[in-house]
mmCIF file of all heavy atoms in Angstrom:
data_model
loop_
_atom_site.group_PDB
_atom_site.id
_atom_site.type_symbol
_atom_site.label_atom_id
_atom_site.label_comp_id
_atom_site.label_asym_id
_atom_site.label_seq_id
_atom_site.Cartn_x
_atom_site.Cartn_y
_atom_site.Cartn_z
ATOM 1 N N GLY A 197 46.242 105.658 53.742
ATOM 2 C CA GLY A 197 47.562 105.754 54.353
ATOM 3 C C GLY A 197 48.610 104.876 53.717
ATOM 4 O O GLY A 197 49.563 104.473 54.377
ATOM 5 N N ARG A 198 48.463 104.577 52.451
ATOM 6 C CA ARG A 198 49.409 103.676 51.786
ATOM 7 C C ARG A 198 50.820 104.258 51.812
ATOM 8 O O ARG A 198 51.021 105.444 51.571
ATOM 9 C CB ARG A 198 48.979 103.432 50.348
ATOM 10 C CG ARG A 198 49.934 102.510 49.617
ATOM 11 C CD ARG A 198 49.462 102.185 48.218
ATOM 12 N NE ARG A 198 50.497 101.430 47.525
ATOM 13 C CZ ARG A 198 50.403 101.062 46.258
ATOM 14 N NH1 ARG A 198 49.342 101.357 45.562
ATOM 15 N NH2 ARG A 198 51.377 100.398 45.690
ATOM 16 N N GLN A 199 51.782 103.407 52.083
ATOM 17 C CA GLN A 199 53.175 103.813 52.092
ATOM 18 C C GLN A 199 53.781 103.697 50.695
ATOM 19 O O GLN A 199 53.176 103.155 49.780
ATOM 20 C CB GLN A 199 53.976 102.918 53.047
ATOM 21 C CG GLN A 199 53.453 102.909 54.477
ATOM 22 C CD GLN A 199 54.329 102.050 55.366
ATOM 23 O OE1 GLN A 199 55.525 101.973 55.165
ATOM 24 N NE2 GLN A 199 53.724 101.403 56.345
ATOM 25 N N THR A 200 54.990 104.217 50.571
ATOM 26 C CA THR A 200 55.760 104.013 49.354
ATOM 27 C C THR A 200 56.071 102.521 49.196
ATOM 28 O O THR A 200 56.376 101.842 50.168
ATOM 29 C CB THR A 200 57.080 104.803 49.409
ATOM 30 O OG1 THR A 200 56.787 106.182 49.591
ATOM 31 C CG2 THR A 200 57.886 104.620 48.129
ATOM 32 N N SER A 201 55.956 102.018 47.965
ATOM 33 C CA SER A 201 56.341 100.641 47.683
ATOM 34 C C SER A 201 57.453 100.654 46.644
ATOM 35 O O SER A 201 57.693 101.663 45.977
ATOM 36 C CB SER A 201 55.146 99.820 47.191
ATOM 37 O OG SER A 201 54.632 100.359 45.984
ATOM 38 N N TYR A 202 58.122 99.503 46.490
ATOM 39 C CA TYR A 202 59.302 99.424 45.624
ATOM 40 C C TYR A 202 59.223 98.200 44.733
ATOM 41 O O TYR A 202 58.774 97.134 45.159
ATOM 42 C CB TYR A 202 60.583 99.369 46.468
ATOM 43 C CG TYR A 202 60.786 100.594 47.326
ATOM 44 C CD1 TYR A 202 60.246 100.650 48.611
ATOM 45 C CD2 TYR A 202 61.481 101.700 46.845
ATOM 46 C CE1 TYR A 202 60.408 101.782 49.400
ATOM 47 C CE2 TYR A 202 61.653 102.835 47.625
ATOM 48 C CZ TYR A 202 61.110 102.868 48.902
ATOM 49 O OH TYR A 202 61.260 103.992 49.677
ATOM 50 N N GLU A 203 59.669 98.375 43.486
ATOM 51 C CA GLU A 203 59.760 97.276 42.537
ATOM 52 C C GLU A 203 61.133 97.290 41.884
ATOM 53 O O GLU A 203 61.808 98.320 41.851
ATOM 54 C CB GLU A 203 58.664 97.378 41.469
ATOM 55 C CG GLU A 203 57.253 97.238 42.016
ATOM 56 C CD GLU A 203 56.200 97.308 40.930
ATOM 57 O OE1 GLU A 203 56.569 97.257 39.728
ATOM 58 O OE2 GLU A 203 55.015 97.418 41.268
ATOM 59 N N TRP A 204 61.509 96.115 41.335
ATOM 60 C CA TRP A 204 62.781 95.962 40.646
ATOM 61 C C TRP A 204 62.527 95.308 39.290
ATOM 62 O O TRP A 204 61.781 94.330 39.198
ATOM 63 C CB TRP A 204 63.743 95.098 41.462
ATOM 64 C CG TRP A 204 64.234 95.750 42.715
ATOM 65 C CD1 TRP A 204 65.426 96.396 42.891
ATOM 66 C CD2 TRP A 204 63.567 95.809 43.990
ATOM 67 N NE1 TRP A 204 65.525 96.870 44.184
ATOM 68 C CE2 TRP A 204 64.405 96.519 44.888
ATOM 69 C CE3 TRP A 204 62.333 95.342 44.471
ATOM 70 C CZ2 TRP A 204 64.060 96.769 46.213
ATOM 71 C CZ3 TRP A 204 61.987 95.588 45.789
ATOM 72 C CH2 TRP A 204 62.843 96.293 46.645
ATOM 73 N N ARG A 205 63.122 95.830 38.234
ATOM 74 C CA ARG A 205 62.970 95.270 36.900
ATOM 75 C C ARG A 205 63.889 94.059 36.719
ATOM 76 O O ARG A 205 65.033 94.059 37.189
ATOM 77 C CB ARG A 205 63.319 96.309 35.836
ATOM 78 C CG ARG A 205 62.304 97.433 35.729
ATOM 79 C CD ARG A 205 61.102 96.997 34.921
ATOM 80 N NE ARG A 205 60.180 98.120 34.705
ATOM 81 C CZ ARG A 205 59.005 98.244 35.308
ATOM 82 N NH1 ARG A 205 58.595 97.315 36.151
ATOM 83 N NH2 ARG A 205 58.227 99.266 35.065
ATOM 84 N N HIS A 206 63.371 93.046 35.973
ATOM 85 C CA HIS A 206 64.174 91.871 35.633
ATOM 86 C C HIS A 206 63.869 91.465 34.196
ATOM 87 O O HIS A 206 62.721 91.126 33.865
ATOM 88 C CB HIS A 206 63.864 90.707 36.581
ATOM 89 C CG HIS A 206 64.137 91.011 38.017
ATOM 90 N ND1 HIS A 206 65.415 91.238 38.487
ATOM 91 C CD2 HIS A 206 63.306 91.148 39.080
ATOM 92 C CE1 HIS A 206 65.365 91.493 39.790
ATOM 93 N NE2 HIS A 206 64.101 91.445 40.172
ATOM 94 N N GLY A 207 64.867 91.526 33.325
ATOM 95 C CA GLY A 207 64.699 91.100 31.940
ATOM 96 C C GLY A 207 64.758 89.591 31.810
ATOM 97 O O GLY A 207 65.227 88.879 32.709
ATOM 98 N N LEU A 208 64.313 89.086 30.669
ATOM 99 C CA LEU A 208 64.331 87.633 30.438
ATOM 100 C C LEU A 208 65.755 87.093 30.387
ATOM 101 O O LEU A 208 66.028 85.979 30.856
ATOM 102 C CB LEU A 208 63.605 87.294 29.137
ATOM 103 C CG LEU A 208 62.084 87.233 29.195
ATOM 104 C CD1 LEU A 208 61.527 86.930 27.813
ATOM 105 C CD2 LEU A 208 61.612 86.196 30.200
ATOM 106 N N GLY A 209 66.671 87.867 29.837
ATOM 107 C CA GLY A 209 68.060 87.430 29.803
ATOM 108 C C GLY A 209 68.632 87.266 31.197
ATOM 109 O O GLY A 209 69.298 86.269 31.501
ATOM 110 N N GLU A 210 68.370 88.251 32.058
ATOM 111 C CA GLU A 210 68.841 88.168 33.441
ATOM 112 C C GLU A 210 68.239 86.960 34.142
ATOM 113 O O GLU A 210 68.936 86.217 34.850
ATOM 114 C CB GLU A 210 68.482 89.442 34.194
ATOM 115 C CG GLU A 210 68.946 89.437 35.645
ATOM 116 C CD GLU A 210 68.234 90.449 36.534
ATOM 117 O OE1 GLU A 210 67.166 90.951 36.132
ATOM 118 O OE2 GLU A 210 68.746 90.721 37.638
ATOM 119 N N LEU A 211 66.940 86.749 33.960
ATOM 120 C CA LEU A 211 66.255 85.659 34.644
ATOM 121 C C LEU A 211 66.806 84.304 34.241
ATOM 122 O O LEU A 211 67.154 83.473 35.092
ATOM 123 C CB LEU A 211 64.755 85.733 34.352
ATOM 124 C CG LEU A 211 63.898 84.620 34.940
ATOM 125 C CD1 LEU A 211 63.970 84.622 36.455
ATOM 126 C CD2 LEU A 211 62.450 84.747 34.456
ATOM 127 N N THR A 212 66.891 84.043 32.939
ATOM 128 C CA THR A 212 67.339 82.722 32.490
ATOM 129 C C THR A 212 68.798 82.479 32.850
ATOM 130 O O THR A 212 69.176 81.373 33.260
ATOM 131 C CB THR A 212 67.143 82.573 30.972
ATOM 132 O OG1 THR A 212 67.782 83.664 30.293
ATOM 133 C CG2 THR A 212 65.669 82.568 30.608
ATOM 134 N N THR A 213 69.636 83.501 32.730
ATOM 135 C CA THR A 213 71.052 83.346 33.068
ATOM 136 C C THR A 213 71.227 83.095 34.563
ATOM 137 O O THR A 213 72.052 82.254 34.970
ATOM 138 C CB THR A 213 71.839 84.598 32.645
ATOM 139 O OG1 THR A 213 71.687 84.807 31.235
ATOM 140 C CG2 THR A 213 73.317 84.457 32.969
ATOM 141 N N THR A 214 70.457 83.792 35.392
ATOM 142 C CA THR A 214 70.565 83.619 36.837
ATOM 143 C C THR A 214 70.116 82.224 37.260
ATOM 144 O O THR A 214 70.743 81.589 38.111
ATOM 145 C CB THR A 214 69.729 84.683 37.565
ATOM 146 O OG1 THR A 214 70.185 85.983 37.171
ATOM 147 C CG2 THR A 214 69.860 84.552 39.073
ATOM 148 N N LEU A 215 69.034 81.734 36.685
ATOM 149 C CA LEU A 215 68.563 80.385 37.012
ATOM 150 C C LEU A 215 69.584 79.338 36.593
ATOM 151 O O LEU A 215 69.861 78.387 37.333
ATOM 152 C CB LEU A 215 67.217 80.124 36.346
ATOM 153 C CG LEU A 215 66.029 80.913 36.892
ATOM 154 C CD1 LEU A 215 64.796 80.696 36.022
ATOM 155 C CD2 LEU A 215 65.732 80.528 38.337
ATOM 156 N N ALA A 216 70.168 79.509 35.407
ATOM 157 C CA ALA A 216 71.177 78.555 34.944
ATOM 158 C C ALA A 216 72.405 78.570 35.859
ATOM 159 O O ALA A 216 72.967 77.517 36.177
ATOM 160 C CB ALA A 216 71.579 78.876 33.503
ATOM 161 N N ALA A 217 72.803 79.757 36.307
ATOM 162 C CA ALA A 217 73.959 79.868 37.196
ATOM 163 C C ALA A 217 73.707 79.208 38.546
ATOM 164 O O ALA A 217 74.646 78.756 39.209
ATOM 165 C CB ALA A 217 74.323 81.341 37.389
ATOM 166 N N ALA A 218 72.422 79.151 38.948
ATOM 167 C CA ALA A 218 72.075 78.502 40.213
ATOM 168 C C ALA A 218 71.976 76.984 40.072
ATOM 169 O O ALA A 218 71.696 76.293 41.057
ATOM 170 C CB ALA A 218 70.748 79.060 40.728
ATOM 171 N N GLY A 219 72.183 76.469 38.867
ATOM 172 C CA GLY A 219 72.182 75.027 38.662
ATOM 173 C C GLY A 219 70.879 74.465 38.139
ATOM 174 O O GLY A 219 70.695 73.238 38.121
ATOM 175 N N LEU A 220 69.965 75.328 37.704
ATOM 176 C CA LEU A 220 68.702 74.859 37.144
ATOM 177 C C LEU A 220 68.805 74.793 35.623
ATOM 178 O O LEU A 220 69.406 75.675 34.995
ATOM 179 C CB LEU A 220 67.559 75.791 37.552
ATOM 180 C CG LEU A 220 67.310 75.916 39.057
ATOM 181 C CD1 LEU A 220 66.149 76.872 39.320
ATOM 182 C CD2 LEU A 220 67.026 74.568 39.691
#
């Protein structure tokens, strides 16, 4: 009875830029 699941893609550029913008 497994339901639909969802995932979201995240590139390395997005990840590093987002962390830097958060002050890390």
Side-chain angles (χ1 to χ4, degrees):
R198 180 176 173 184
Q199 303 182 33
T200 302
S201 61
Y202 298 89
E203 296 181 11
W204 291 262
R205 290 280 186 252
H206 300 294
L208 279 178
E210 180 199 17
L211 177 62
T212 54
T213 301
T214 302
L215 291 172
L220 299 180

